[in-house]
């Protein structure tokens, strides 16, 4: 029939072994076999096609067989549905990859590079001939190469017909297929509510029903997907990167998706296969940014192992300098650009400076300068600056009456009148740092007032740190729990119990672990500054209320502050969502942010309308469609999308979260003092510095010279620790005394103190938050004892 039809249409037919239709079986030809008649229909791979379907113009120069898959007889080219459509000229063969994989009567008997992906050509011919005798139970045409594997089921069908009828094809093991009656289905608990959810991939609404087009994650309780979205993601990610988009589970997720008919190709992810995808990461910055470059060959000249070698900023790596231009003696010497230097100077993170010990420096005249060159980040430091800082400290108390001593009688040799070092002088604080420190002092007083509600009745919570959320939720929901009771924490897993732990330390660590879990939970979205996310299951279980309640209890009971609220979330809580205007930075979803950017930065009305047309369904679902007649209308459209996605979409979780924050009157205080509470809810706690530690501890001392010298050693030791010249950190010191690595917003109770005693080694009394320090003759002895004791104690506790 192929030869006859080709002659009639004026085409040159392709013959194989003298046959006109390889893989084409004539069902009928003209009467008597002559070429005068007209064929009624021709079967391509068993699928029947009439003359009109096979007609081609005389100008078409390609083979008829190249249009049709020899197994299903369709011309569709849709890799997501049918696999890649492949044409093999040397075999006169076109086939869909999935049709070949799922055919019931063929197996890969060849090597990987033999035939068609291991399917031998002779086997494909036999399978085509076998399928030509079977009628598809769906389209009623012959060529059904796939059969249902259920016992006693005799249904056969083409692969595209099976997809249309919602059959399941498993791309694993022996590649089984199931008809529409025997296909596997996902099981849903009877008590589970039915409703709508968002597809985690495309964000469109998904009906929570056990239907073919919807799949539920096996590892996340309330995560739903469109089948098409999952298939596209699987084809892009491959077997190495395809996993649950919410919890990143791979094994359990892939096993369930394969069972439900998702094809996961054994290949690397598409973004990993892109040529030179990460080429930019291999380019090193090589340019001298010094204001006055001394190199005659230009700022881009770089000669390794010479004074014209370019050194990059050790902080950002995006600025550089020739060694000679910044007077650097070697490549190993640290260098920071002006921008990073300014930031570090404001934050107090100065680089290491070589300093003489206090015992040695005391022998020097007060006006003598250190011989070492100062760090380029800060001015030269006077050897008497530590003692000057001691004179300026407001928290040195007399042991007799515990009142501030206006003056300390020091030896004349110790009286130094130089200015404070930049490390200790608050004149170098940035305005923002002064602002935050002032408000954090105020919020401490407010929280102490709220704590007056807490009574002496104790509620014990048994906490498993390995399952912090569930054990905390269970404790907060128990019948005898009350936010006004004193909370006592008992860690049930041995790893988190320590003999030196105090109730306050255990409670602080519990709230620290709990807030860290909340920050990374599905209740919030965003990178560092977080907004509430939309989790239908969390709304159903009232988890947003519990989260707000936990944060309020943590603040009043001496736990840490969250520090991860976005300004938008904070303003919604304080001023109400109707009075807040969100920004693009509040959109955590990359795809939604991309749509907003395309609309916001459209430079013509036509491009704006084209974008709206492309994302019509998204805008309609968000209720943001509006007539666009001018380019300026895009601003209102962007504002509508932001309000919907950031605020209106989470209005129910937001209200529940606000109700939780009303616990112990915290939300009311937030609304009365918004600036004060934003300093602890929207910003991370200030990094510990020598000055903060010194200001935190009250020194119980007298006019005894040895004790004053001990206080002097304490100040010098804090500076050594901050500058990195000690094996311990400021956090280690704080933990040694209080059992906490950070200062809670409400402060410590009792307030930390220091005593100087005739003891061999320092002692950290965590029940009283008291640091007992030994009186030594030299600074080296003091430093050695401090480091040995703190390191040993922390090492034992970790074990």
């Amino acid at each position: 029939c192929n030869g006859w039809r080709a002659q009639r249409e004026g085409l040159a037919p392709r013959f194989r072994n003298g046959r006109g239709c390889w893989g084409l079986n004539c069902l009928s030809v003209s009467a008597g076999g002559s070429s005068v008649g007209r064929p009624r229909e021709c079967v391509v791979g068993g699928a029947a096609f009439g003359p009109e379907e096979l007609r081609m113009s005389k100008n078409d120069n390609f083979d008829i067989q190249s249009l049709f898959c020899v197994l299903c007889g369709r011309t569709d080219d849709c890799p997501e549905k049918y696999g890649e459509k492949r044409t093999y000229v040397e075999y006169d063969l076109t086939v869909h990859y999935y049709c070949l994989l799922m055919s019931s009567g063929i197996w890969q008997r060849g090597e990987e590079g033999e035939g068609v992906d291991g399917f031998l050509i002779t086997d494909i011919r036999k399978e085509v001939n076998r399928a030509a005798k079977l009628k598809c139970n769906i389209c009623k045409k012959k060529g059904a190469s796939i059969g249902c594997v259920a016992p006693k089921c005799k249904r056969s069908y083409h692969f595209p017909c099976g997809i249309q009828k919602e059959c399941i094809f498993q791309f694993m093991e022996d590649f089984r297929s199931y008809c529409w009656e025997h296909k596997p289905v996902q099981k849903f608990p009877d008590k589970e509510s039915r409703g709508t959810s968002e597809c985690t991939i495309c964000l469109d609404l998904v009906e929570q029903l056990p239907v073919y087009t919807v799949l539920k994650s096996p590892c996340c309780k309330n995560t739903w997907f469109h089948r098409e979205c999952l298939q596209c993601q699987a084809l892009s990610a491959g077997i190495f990167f395809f996993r649950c988009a919410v919890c990143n589970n791979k094994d359990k997720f892939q096993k369930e998706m394969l069972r439900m008919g998702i094809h996961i190709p054994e290949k690397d992810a598409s973004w990993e296969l892109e040529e030179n995808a990460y080429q930019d990461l291999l380019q090193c910055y090589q340019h001298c940014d010094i204001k006055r470059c001394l190199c005659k060959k230009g700022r881009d000249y770089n000669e390794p192992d010479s004074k014209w070698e370019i050194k990059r900023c050790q902080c950002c790596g995006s600025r550089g300098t020739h060694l000679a231009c910044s007077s650097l003696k070697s490549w190993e010497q640290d260098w920071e650009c002006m921008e990073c230097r300014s930031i570090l100077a404001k934050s107090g993170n100065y680089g290491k400076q070589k300093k003489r010990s206090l015992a040695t420096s005391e022998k020097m005249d007060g006006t003598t300068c250190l011989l070492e060159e100062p760090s380029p980040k800060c001015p030269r430091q006077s050897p008497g600056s530590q003692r000057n800082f001691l004179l300026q400290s407001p928290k040195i108390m007399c042991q007799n009456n515990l009142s501030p001593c206006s003056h300390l009688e020091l030896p004349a040799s110790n009286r130094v009148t130089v200015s404070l070092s930049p490390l200790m002088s608050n004149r170098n604080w940035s305005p923002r740092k002064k602002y935050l420190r002032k408000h954090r002092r105020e919020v401490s007083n407010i929280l102490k007032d709220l704590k007056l509600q807490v009574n002496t009745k104790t509620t014990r919570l048994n906490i498993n740190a390995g399952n912090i959320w569930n054990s905390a939720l269970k404790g907060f929901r128990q019948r005898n729990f009350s936010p006004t009771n004193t909370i006592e924490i008992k860690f049930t897993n041995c790893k988190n119990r320590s003999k030196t732990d105090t109730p306050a330390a255990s409670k602080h660590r519990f709230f620290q672990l709990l807030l860290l879990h909340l920050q990374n939970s599905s209740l919030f979205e965003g990178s560092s500054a977080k907004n509430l996310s939309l989790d239908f299951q969390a709304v159903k279980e009232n988890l947003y209320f519990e989260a707000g309640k936990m944060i309020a209890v943590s603040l009043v009971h001496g736990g840490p502050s969250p520090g991860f609220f976005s300004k938008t979330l904070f303003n919604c809580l304080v001023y109400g969502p109707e009075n807040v205007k969100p920004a693009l930075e509040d959109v955590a979803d990359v795809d939604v942010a991309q749509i907003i950017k395309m609309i916001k930065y459209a430079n013509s009305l036509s491009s704006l309308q084209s974008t709206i047309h492309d994302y019509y369904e998204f805008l309609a679902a968000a209720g943001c469609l509006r007539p666009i007649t001018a380019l300026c209308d895009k601003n209102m459209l962007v504002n509508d999308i932001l309000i919907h996605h950031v605020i209106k979409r989470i209005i129910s979780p937001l209200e529940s979260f606000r109700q939780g924050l009303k616990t112990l009157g915290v939300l009311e205080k937030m609304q009365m003092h918004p600036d004060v509470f934003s300093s602890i809810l929207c910003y991370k706690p200030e990094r510990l510095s020598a000055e903060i530690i010194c200001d935190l501890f009250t020194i119980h001392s007298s006019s005894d010279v040895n004790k004053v010298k001990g206080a002097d050693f304490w100040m010098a030791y804090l500076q050594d620790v901050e500058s990195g010249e000690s094996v311990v950190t400021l956090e280690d010191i704080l933990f040694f005394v209080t059992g906490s690595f950070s200062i809670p917003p409400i402060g410590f109770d009792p307030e930390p103190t220091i005593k100087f005693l005739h003891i061999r080694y320092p002692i950290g009394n965590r029940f009283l938050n008291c640091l007992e320090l030994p009186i030594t003759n030299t600074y080296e002895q003091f430093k050695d004892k401090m480091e040995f004791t703190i390191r040993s104690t922390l090492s034992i506790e970790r074990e």
Side-chain angles (χ1 to χ4, degrees), residues 688-706:
L688 292 181
S689 64
E691 183 182 9
I692 292 176
I693 294 294
C694 188
D695 187 57
L696 178 68
F697 285 87
T698 300
I699 300 177
H700 287 191
S701 183
S702 70
S703 59
D704 184 273
V705 175
N706 288 331

Side-chain angles (χ1 to χ4, degrees), residues 435-436 438-444 446 570 669-670 673-681:
Y435 172 86
L436 292 178
K438 173 188 173 184
H439 286 323
R440 282 169 178 163
R441 284 197 296 265
E442 295 178 16
V443 81
S444 176
I446 296 173
F570 181 80
K669 293 295 183 182
M670 288 171 54
H673 309 278
D675 293 339
V676 170
F677 274 87
S678 68
S679 66
I680 63 171
L681 297 178

Side-chain angles (χ1 to χ4, degrees), residues 292-310:
R292 186 179 179 184
C293 181
L294 304 177
C295 183
K296 296 182 179 180
K297 295 186 179 181
R299 293 181 177 270
D300 295 327
Y301 179 71
N302 179 38
E303 183 181 349
D305 300 324
S306 73
K307 65 179 181 179
W308 302 120
E309 183 174 5
I310 291 180

Side-chain angles (χ1 to χ4, degrees), residues 397-405:
M397 311 293 287
C398 294
Q399 281 183 340
N400 297 330
N401 53 15
L402 296 182
S403 62
C405 298

